[in-house]
Amino acid sequence: MAVQQGHSPAAGTPSLGATFARLLPLVKPILPRLFFGFLCALAAGIVALTIPQVLAWLVNNVLNPEGQGSEVWSAVALVGGLGALEALLVFLRRQFVITPAARLETQMRVRFFGHLQQLPVAFHERWGSGQLLSRSMSDLSLLRRWLAFGAMMLVVSTVTVLTGLTLMFISSPVLGAIYLAGAIPITIKAFHFRNNYRAASRLSQDQAGDLATAVEESVHGIRVIKAFGRGRHMYDGFNFRAKALRDTEVSKAKTLAGFILFVVAIPETTLGLGLAAGLWLAAQDQLSVGALVAYFATATVLAGPVENMGMLMGMTLTTKTALDRHFEVMDTENTITTPEEPASPSTQRGDLELRNVVFRFPDTPGSAAPTLRGINLHVRPGETMALVGMTGTGKSTLLQLVPRLYEATEGQVLIDGVDVRDRDLLELRRDVAVAFEDTILFSASIRDNVLLGAPALEPGELETLLDSAIETAQAGFARQLPHGLDTVIGEEGLSLSGGQRQRIALARAIAAKPRVLVLDDPLSALDVRTEETVTERLRATLAGTTTLIVAHRPSTVALADRVALLQDGLIHDVGTHSELLGRNAHYRYVIASLEDEETNSIPRPGGMQP
Amino acid sequence: MSQYAGVANEDSINLSRSERKRVRTRSWKLLAALAGTQKPMLALTLVLVVVSNLARVAFPLLIAWAIDWGLPQVRNGNWAALGITGGAYVLAAITAGSLLGWYILCTARISQAMLLDLRLDVFRHTQRLSLEFHENYTSGRIISRQTSDLETLRELLDQGISELVSAGVFVVFTLISIFVLDWRSGLVVLVTALPIWLLFGWYQKRSELVFRESRVVSARVIGSFVETMTGIRAVKAFRKEKSNDAAYSQIAGEYRDNSIRSINLFGVLQPSLVLIGNLAVAAVLAWGGFRILDGELGVGVLVALLLATNRVFQPVENIAMFYQSLQSATAALEKVSGLLEEAPTVVEPAKPQPLEHAAGALEFTDAVFGYGDGPVIMEKFDLAIPAGQTIAVVGQTGAGKSTLAKLIARFYDLRSGTLSIDGVPIEQIANNDLRRHVVMVTQEAFLFSGTVAENIALGKPGATIEEIILAARAVGAHEFITALPEGYDTDVNKRGGRVSSGQRQLISFARAFLADPAVLILDEATSSLDIPSERAVQRGLQTLLGNRTALIIAHRLSTVQIADRVLVVHDGKIVEDGSPAELIGSEGRFAALHRAWRESLV
């Protein structure tokens, strides 16, 4: 299927400096440790470079056939001591750096998770969870590696190269200048490399994310895939994406290889030129052979760090794009938040009112009519209102405006006279409980699932609440499960049938003891017998609770005191079931059952008086 | 059968000796098999490494040659010597650079090819595994097997091969040169192999457990993440954010602690190796120093020996890093190879009986069914459904209606007895044939990312847009689809919010309509539709069902009324079987249900 998604980076990607500058406040607390780690790395490097020098010096000056045994021992002690010091420094470097880097990674991961949980539902509808997963796992582990290793080695290599260059200039300014001239083509090349590699690295990370989304879909959609025998088709799609990722990775490696080629070949080439120049200078006696040798000895030491710098630059760019991906999500503004000074209703009766509510999906073209065009609806305290309308008229959308899962584009949603936007979000969602049409249960025991939104009560009272919610929703089957109400369900546990899930979700909404209950076709998957019992029990339970319930069937409408008819984005009529049957043709069309039509029986008014 | 076969007990960290050997071997075999396909490329890479190392060795030789031979020549006025020495050096530089670049590209190709092979294998295998497996193995685990576990292999391949090969070549060359210079010092260096070997052994033993645990913990982090993001609506509605934050931060913290443990183990290994190397240098110095005093060894030789000993240990660190990645990848491949070891419980026939055209006659004979080793769900029954009949299955939730449907769709196999389609046992029909002839539409109407048209076309890949529109019209989905911002090209992923569950059911109906199977199974497929839409679907169904076999599971009377025959299922048994009229006339369960329905249809 088509390559997807609204995560492509905005036209202007931040510069390298800008991205890492944003990291600074996060890194600040661990900066001292990173700095000590860096010092240890530098010191270890110096010791490592010193050991061969010391060896040469010892051999030439201390050890000779006329020397003493004790001198050998002190030389050995010196070398052994330096060796132990290097090992200690290497050990310390890791000690300083590893833990804070891993902590920072985890801290950012947890923050990322928390931010995603706060972002509105509309955001999650646009983003595949695989794409988010890759940002939370691989991107942040890249950062850890870069912090603990890449950044440090980049600094150490740079310092080494600069020191080496200084030494070269001291040996011979001319030869030093020739070597340094190599930096010009490398810098130009580095500029191209940076642009190409950054683009490729970003692309590969996005493709890896899409691939994760494809995996996620292939798992969650396995029943449909199997039912239609479309494994091959899914495989082809996955194959296509996996190959695209491979191609990106290979072209990324090609870019890197081209750069490394340059980084290795150019300094060595300048050395070749330096060799010729050095010989010429030496022939003129303007340069000692010793200085020439020293120049090349330094150059040999520099070869490693220069090559490393190429690799580390690649790593830095990859980390940069990973960070961009992270910050893109972190920068997504949460549009549904608790206001500075939340208001609380003075009375808590559960009066629900929608005033001139308009809802438009953000991507609806301006010319098209919004989904909800100006809803006016008043559900009185304790009243049960059914919401009836054709598939796709926006009933579910309307329901989600109440707990602010979606935000009204215009107009107001009021509970007890207070606009939901002025309420504390958590308080609002405590007052409003929802049962969705797609039931979402979590990996937890049935008990915990049902009591998820329950008020804080004594254990005994909770047990009573649990019992009555299960009773009302006819979810007693749960007691017969292997571990009764402690059976773990959801992703990590037992899979339940659609009807069973729906009843648990209904019990969960009831047990939340909300002021306003919002039910989205909560009985659709139930068989008639169960539906009948649930309806009966619900009617008693809902007695004091303001309820807005989406209904497709007369049997669900039977729960309601009044019915609101949604058509073309407006509430067209409100009244009792029988009133609407009597006066509204569209209502009859929507709710009158097939059997009535086929048997030509006239709707029986009066059967549904509240 | 081993208790760790496949994915069984994959969360255990401490394994018995024999089991450990089993899972490790399984893991290495997988790695070897993946590498096996890359032999020519690996050989080329090896050559490149050796040659590029030789080119690097050439640099100091060239300098020595330039000074010893070139300088006197230049002094004697032979200016060409400048060009010759300089040119030779530049040539070596370009050769070394190109070889290195080529080599980086080769290793990337190898690692990407191996990764792709494994990725595709795991995906294909997972998709082939039976539903029974998927219902027990969490999606978080499958996702983590296919993402973060494969990532460890990528790390191994990316840094691993290059480090290992060039380090190995370097060590061997240097060691030989030490032996040539002075075999006694060579022995000193060789002796260090013992502590190094012990150290690696210690590290391997410890890190194996930590890395194994790491795979388990990371799968939990991923599982928790995916569950939260896919269930975000309920998370918000029931204010689960705080407790989720706490739970996630707890488990992410475990993952962090595990990483720190593994890195710390390496943090002991690496400095210890540095220490051993440096002590070896000191030992060579001591022994050599005394021999110089005795006049047995030349000073120049000792200098060379010391420098070589110092260098021989440098790549040992790289080898250690490779070893670390290898341990990590092996732990991950233990899990991946376990997944690959799982066999589908519903097996595709080796020699399928061809079933080009199916009429759709179904027959159960002495059929018994239960999940896995669990209790019997469907007691022994016989059932014959002639081709073209429309059957309604009714009964309470959990009575076994869906089981019947899943058996016909061959999501599961019977425990005993047979099920045949047109007289061919279902186990002997090739999967492709079976899926072409039997299609099931379920209550959960899953949409894949892509456009509406692509989602409908899933019923018949390659369908034209006309066919797609025809199918959508037939089930009454055309109107709402054309009302979407981009009609049939609307991306359901981007606009998931505006496709209601009723509309999703209509899309999956259109999918089934397009698939045009001989046997159609509808499991609660109209539950979220409003009455007019359901009516439209049923009108579509009447044309659709004309000459095909249909099994309809429904809670609604309206659906039952279009059936030729009704089966009432209760407690895993078919308790009533007859035409709707017959059953209504009797005094059985169906008659009672029917009364309840009539009352609900006010």
Side-chain angles (χ1 to χ4, degrees):
Chain A
M1 301 214 161
V3 178
Q4 47 165 350
Q5 266 164 26
H7 55 67
S8 50
T13 47
S15 71
L16 197 64
T19 301
F20 283 108
R22 299 201 52 184
L23 194 60
L24 209 57
L26 294 165
V27 173
K28 215 169 182 181
I30 62 167
L31 222 45
R33 286 192 69 157
L34 289 183
F35 182 70
F36 282 120
F38 160 71
L39 283 187
C40 288
L42 201 62
I46 291 169
V47 173
L49 286 177
T50 313
I51 291 177
Q53 308 298 323
V54 170
L55 285 175
W57 182 80
L58 282 174
V59 172
N60 292 331
N61 300 297
V62 180
L63 301 176
N64 45 60
E66 297 84 47
Q68 302 284 312
S70 61
E71 284 170 346
V72 175
W73 283 123
S74 37
V76 168
L78 178 61
V79 170
L82 280 175
L85 180 65
E86 187 196 352
L88 180 69
L89 287 169
V90 169
F91 177 76
L92 284 179
R93 190 202 90 202
R94 300 188 68 92
Q95 288 303 307
F96 275 124
V97 170
I98 296 308
T99 316
R103 287 228 175 96
L104 182 69
E105 175 198 9
T106 305
Q107 186 196 330
M108 287 174 73
R109 182 170 288 145
V110 170
R111 240 177 38 134
F112 187 73
F113 179 85
H115 184 68
L116 282 178
Q117 282 202 104
Q118 298 303 324
L119 283 176
V121 170
F123 171 88
H124 289 275
E125 283 167 355
R126 284 198 312 274
W127 288 67
S129 60
Q131 183 59 253
L132 296 174
L133 179 69
S134 84
R135 288 173 196 229
S136 121
M137 297 301 283
S138 352
D139 287 0
L140 289 176
S141 82
L142 272 175
L143 172 69
R144 185 197 68 214
R145 259 166 248 234
W146 182 79
L147 268 182
F149 176 77
M152 191 146 300
M153 290 332 270
L154 193 61
V155 179
V156 171
S157 300
T158 311
V159 171
T160 315
V161 170
L162 289 178
T163 317
L165 274 175
T166 316
L167 289 175
M168 280 180 161
F169 269 96
I170 292 171
S171 302
S172 158
V174 179
L175 294 185
I178 290 178
Y179 189 77
L180 193 59
I184 297 167
I186 290 186
T187 310
I188 295 171
K189 179 81 179 169
F191 185 75
H192 288 287
F193 165 72
R194 193 187 67 181
N195 290 339
N196 294 338
Y197 197 74
R198 195 164 65 186
S201 136
R202 172 69 202 226
L203 184 62
S204 86
Q205 284 161 353
D206 285 347
Q207 284 175 332
D210 285 349
L211 205 60
T213 301
V215 168
E216 188 248 319
E217 279 190 353
S218 79
V219 179
H220 287 136
I222 187 77
R223 281 179 191 77
V224 176
I225 297 168
K226 285 204 179 282
F228 284 86
R230 287 296 166 257
R232 178 78 219 175
H233 181 73
M234 295 306 288
Y235 175 76
D236 288 344
F238 183 81
N239 188 13
F240 177 77
R241 287 185 179 197
K243 284 196 170 133
L245 174 62
R246 186 222 27 212
D247 293 344
T248 310
E249 288 288 352
V250 169
S251 88
K252 204 174 122 189
K254 219 178 255 176
T255 313
L256 182 66
F259 184 59
I260 296 289
L261 184 162
F262 233 69
V263 162
V264 170
I266 292 289
E268 295 289 357
T269 304
T270 57
L271 280 180
L273 300 178
L275 183 62
L279 289 181
W280 185 73
L281 287 174
Q284 309 285 310
D285 285 327
Q286 291 178 21
L287 186 77
S288 73
V289 175
L292 190 60
V293 172
Y295 169 73
F296 277 102
T298 317
T300 314
V301 174
L302 288 194
V306 169
E307 185 190 326
N308 280 345
M309 278 171 79
M311 289 286 189
L312 293 169
M313 211 173 133
M315 188 178 180
T316 306
L317 288 171
T318 312
T319 308
K320 188 255 175 207
T321 52
L323 272 176
D324 283 344
R325 280 160 48 87
H326 176 80
F327 286 128
E328 256 164 46
V329 173
M330 294 305 287
D331 286 347
T332 309
E333 207 187 326
N334 186 5
T335 46
I336 300 182
T337 52
T338 298
E340 293 273 318
E341 286 172 28
S344 286
S346 47
T347 56
Q348 303 198 322
R349 305 183 307 144
D351 181 274
L352 172 66
E353 190 181 356
L354 283 82
R355 264 189 220 154
N356 299 316
V357 168
V358 175
F359 180 81
R360 173 191 287 278
F361 281 98
D363 52 357
T364 305
S367 55
T371 309
L372 301 176
R373 293 194 293 150
I375 300 288
N376 283 296
L377 184 65
H378 185 198
V379 189
R380 300 173 198 132
E383 187 183 32
T384 298
M385 172 82 81
L387 191 59
V388 172
M390 295 280 287
T391 296
T393 43
K395 301 185 295 294
S396 303
T397 309
L398 191 152
L399 288 195
Q400 298 194 58
L401 295 174
V402 181
R404 271 187 99 196
L405 291 174
Y406 284 150
E407 189 92 291
T409 316
E410 285 168 42
Q412 285 182 303
V413 178
L414 304 158
I415 294 178
D416 291 326
V418 178
D419 192 318
V420 290
R421 276 171 297 204
D422 296 334
R423 298 283 309 274
D424 177 275
L425 210 50
L426 290 180
E427 257 179 42
L428 170 70
R429 288 175 184 165
R430 193 173 53 221
D431 288 352
V432 181
V434 196
F436 300 97
E437 43 181 356
D438 332 294
T439 46
I440 302 159
L441 301 176
F442 295 102
S443 302
S445 66
I446 291 192
R447 177 190 311 274
D448 291 346
N449 264 292
V450 173
L451 293 178
L452 188 58
L457 293 172
E458 298 294 315
E461 292 173 307
L462 267 186
E463 215 50 32
T464 320
L465 180 62
L466 178 70
D467 285 343
S468 81
I470 285 183
E471 187 62 31
T472 306
Q474 287 292 293
F477 70 89
R479 297 185 197 277
Q480 267 77 61
L481 293 176
H483 304 283
L485 297 183
D486 293 318
T487 308
V488 173
I489 52 169
E491 167 66 10
E492 303 275 336
L494 197 75
S495 43
L496 302 175
S497 79
Q500 290 172 327
R501 295 160 59 87
Q502 209 170 38
R503 279 179 277 169
I504 301 281
L506 183 61
R508 177 173 66 187
I510 295 166
K513 285 269 162 207
R515 208 145 283 134
V516 177
L517 187 59
V518 173
L519 304 173
D520 199 348
D521 203 12
L523 311 176
S524 65
L526 304 188
D527 60 83
V528 173
R529 280 278 169 77
T530 317
E531 185 181 356
E532 199 180 328
T533 326
V534 174
T535 314
E536 233 164 69
R537 301 263 157 87
L538 259 185
R539 202 176 284 134
T541 311
L542 298 184
T545 312
T546 311
T547 307
L548 189 56
I549 181 169
V550 166
H552 284 139
R553 318 272 155 198
S555 50
T556 319
V557 172
L559 280 168
D561 303 314
R562 288 192 299 160
V563 184
L565 178 65
L566 183 63
Q567 188 187 355
D568 299 328
L570 291 172
I571 299 287
H572 264 244
D573 207 345
V574 181
T576 64
H577 178 59
S578 44
E579 282 168 9
L580 292 194
L581 273 183
R583 69 179 179 226
N584 195 311
H586 183 68
Y587 185 71
R588 279 198 298 276
Y589 172 69
V590 173
I591 205 75
S593 62
L594 196 58
E595 290 73 24
D596 290 336
E597 187 187 53
E598 283 181 350
T599 54
N600 289 320
S601 68
I602 302 146
R604 281 164 285 175
M608 276 306 302
Q609 291 295 354
Chain B
M1 196 58 167
S2 158
Q3 74 181 108
Y4 295 94
V7 299
N9 291 308
E10 67 168 6
D11 284 356
S12 7
I13 310 294
N14 284 297
L15 307 181
S16 74
R17 241 183 127 82
S18 61
E19 290 299 353
R20 175 191 169 274
K21 198 174 158 203
R22 208 184 97 74
V23 294
R24 292 249 123 184
T25 314
R26 184 173 78 189
S27 166
W28 284 326
K29 268 191 185 152
L30 177 60
L31 190 59
L34 289 168
T37 60
Q38 301 298 317
K39 272 183 196 145
M41 207 52 177
L42 281 168
L44 171 66
T45 313
L46 199 66
V47 172
L48 285 176
V49 174
V50 174
V51 178
S52 88
N53 272 309
L54 286 177
R56 288 179 167 213
V57 172
F59 292 128
L61 297 177
L62 281 172
I63 293 169
W65 173 67
I67 293 174
D68 293 345
W69 172 83
L71 192 55
Q73 292 280 324
V74 177
R75 284 205 167 121
N76 293 334
N78 181 5
W79 298 100
L82 276 189
I84 294 170
T85 48
Y89 199 95
V90 170
L91 196 68
I94 292 171
T95 313
S98 314
L99 286 174
L100 185 63
W102 192 9
Y103 161 75
I104 290 174
L105 189 57
C106 281
T107 49
R109 279 191 197 282
I110 293 173
S111 84
Q112 287 301 318
M114 286 171 68
L115 206 56
L116 182 68
D117 281 352
L118 184 59
R119 223 189 262 291
L120 295 178
D121 260 6
V122 177
F123 184 86
R124 187 170 33 205
H125 187 81
T126 312
Q127 288 285 303
R128 240 190 17 223
L129 286 174
S130 317
L131 216 54
E132 194 169 355
F133 175 85
H134 284 276
E135 276 169 2
N136 293 314
Y137 198 69
T138 65
S139 58
R141 283 177 197 219
I142 295 186
I143 294 167
S144 100
R145 297 290 93 93
Q146 296 195 50
T147 55
S148 73
D149 285 3
L150 291 190
E151 196 81 359
T152 63
L153 179 64
R154 181 204 148 106
E155 275 155 27
L156 170 71
L157 297 172
D158 272 4
Q159 51 161 306
I161 317 176
S162 48
E163 301 289 343
L164 184 70
V165 176
S166 66
V169 170
F170 184 82
V171 168
V172 170
F173 280 1
T174 317
L175 201 57
I176 290 173
S177 73
I178 295 176
F179 266 96
V180 170
L181 283 168
D182 175 44
W183 63 269
R184 289 187 186 81
S185 301
L187 287 184
V188 171
V189 176
L190 267 195
V191 164
T192 60
L194 181 69
I196 290 179
W197 185 69
L198 289 175
L199 200 60
F200 271 85
W202 166 85
Y203 174 75
Q204 194 268 318
K205 207 168 155 189
R206 293 291 187 89
S207 70
E208 180 180 326
L209 300 183
V210 177
F211 282 126
R212 200 175 280 143
E213 190 188 345
S214 155
R215 295 340 303 159
V216 175
V217 180
S218 108
R220 281 172 53 209
V221 175
I222 289 172
S224 151
F225 186 93
V226 171
E227 177 167 300
T228 303
M229 297 313 150
T230 45
I232 193 74
R233 253 175 242 266
V235 167
K236 286 174 177 293
F238 289 93
R239 314 178 305 284
K240 206 172 181 295
E241 294 99 332
K242 245 191 202 141
S243 67
N244 273 349
D245 271 340
Y248 187 77
S249 124
Q250 154 85 25
I251 178 168
E254 273 175 44
Y255 185 50
R256 173 200 59 212
D257 295 344
N258 174 279
S259 314
I260 291 179
R261 267 206 302 281
S262 81
I263 302 169
N264 277 342
L265 281 177
F266 189 71
V268 172
L269 175 69
Q270 192 202 10
S272 305
L273 288 172
V274 171
L275 187 65
I276 292 174
N278 287 338
L279 292 181
V281 172
V284 170
L285 176 67
W287 201 3
F290 281 107
R291 279 186 293 154
I292 284 181
L293 296 189
D294 297 343
E296 286 171 20
L297 197 69
V299 173
V301 177
L302 183 58
V303 174
L305 274 177
L306 289 172
L307 293 181
T309 311
N310 186 245
R311 274 194 308 184
V312 82
F313 284 97
Q314 277 166 9
V316 173
E317 264 179 74
N318 292 340
I319 295 176
M321 271 165 86
F322 170 80
Y323 198 66
Q324 180 192 30
S325 308
L326 182 68
Q327 289 301 318
S328 164
T330 307
L333 290 181
E334 279 178 10
K335 305 278 181 268
V336 174
S337 60
L339 182 59
L340 289 175
E341 201 179 52
E342 283 290 326
T345 46
V346 174
V347 191
E348 171 129 18
K351 283 185 193 158
Q353 290 199 29
L355 191 65
E356 190 56 36
H357 300 285
L362 303 170
E363 188 164 9
F364 286 94
T365 319
D366 295 333
V368 176
F369 177 73
Y371 294 100
D373 307 324
V376 170
I377 304 284
M378 297 288 291
E379 285 172 36
K380 196 173 202 171
F381 69 100
D382 291 302
L383 174 66
I385 301 172
Q389 199 170 53
T390 300
I391 306 261
V393 185
V394 299
Q396 293 202 327
T397 312
K401 305 185 299 279
S402 292
T403 310
L404 204 57
K406 285 176 187 164
L407 288 172
I408 298 173
R410 207 179 168 218
F411 282 2
Y412 294 93
D413 276 340
L414 287 169
R415 185 171 285 178
S416 66
T418 58
L419 162 60
S420 63
I421 298 178
D422 291 351
V424 181
I426 198 165
E427 303 85 24
Q428 293 180 21
I429 303 174
N431 208 19
N432 271 342
D433 282 341
L434 180 69
R435 297 299 168 207
R436 203 153 40 85
H437 299 314
V438 180
V439 158
M440 174 156 149
V441 183
T442 60
Q443 183 186 19
E444 34 160 3
F446 190 87
L447 296 189
F448 296 92
S449 57
T451 65
V452 172
E454 284 169 332
N455 265 290
I456 296 176
L458 203 66
K460 183 185 174 188
T464 63
I465 185 70
E466 287 76 25
E467 289 176 289
I468 291 170
I469 294 176
L470 198 71
R473 272 189 199 283
V475 300
H478 182 70
E479 284 69 29
F480 95 80
I481 296 174
T482 42
L484 290 171
E486 288 154 66
Y488 282 86
D489 294 328
T490 306
D491 191 316
V492 294
N493 218 333
K494 276 187 190 158
R495 323 209 184 218
R498 62 178 55 188
V499 183
S500 73
S501 51
Q503 290 170 332
R504 269 182 276 155
Q505 285 192 341
L506 287 178
I507 291 176
S508 31
F509 251 109
R511 213 183 253 166
F513 197 92
L514 193 59
D516 192 27
V519 179
L520 182 65
I521 306 162
L522 304 177
D523 188 358
E524 294 287 341
T526 55
S527 61
S528 295
L529 297 183
D530 60 76
I531 291 169
S533 303
E534 190 179 3
R535 213 178 283 153
V537 166
Q538 272 164 15
R539 251 181 253 120
L541 271 183
Q542 274 165 344
T543 14
L544 178 67
L545 300 183
N547 51 357
R548 66 193 84 226
T549 313
L551 191 83
I552 304 177
I553 298 172
H555 298 319
R556 317 257 169 241
L557 181 59
S558 51
T559 319
V560 176
Q561 286 191 331
I562 61 170
D564 304 320
R565 179 175 165 195
V566 175
L567 299 177
V568 182
V569 183
H570 186 74
D571 274 350
K573 284 188 281 259
I574 298 171
V575 291
E576 287 173 38
D577 181 354
S579 73
E582 275 168 34
L583 294 185
I584 292 168
S586 75
E587 274 305 301
R589 287 172 190 279
F590 185 73
L593 261 180
H594 190 259
R595 276 196 301 278
W597 267 322
R598 294 300 319 181
E599 281 159 23
S600 76
L601 300 170
V602 184

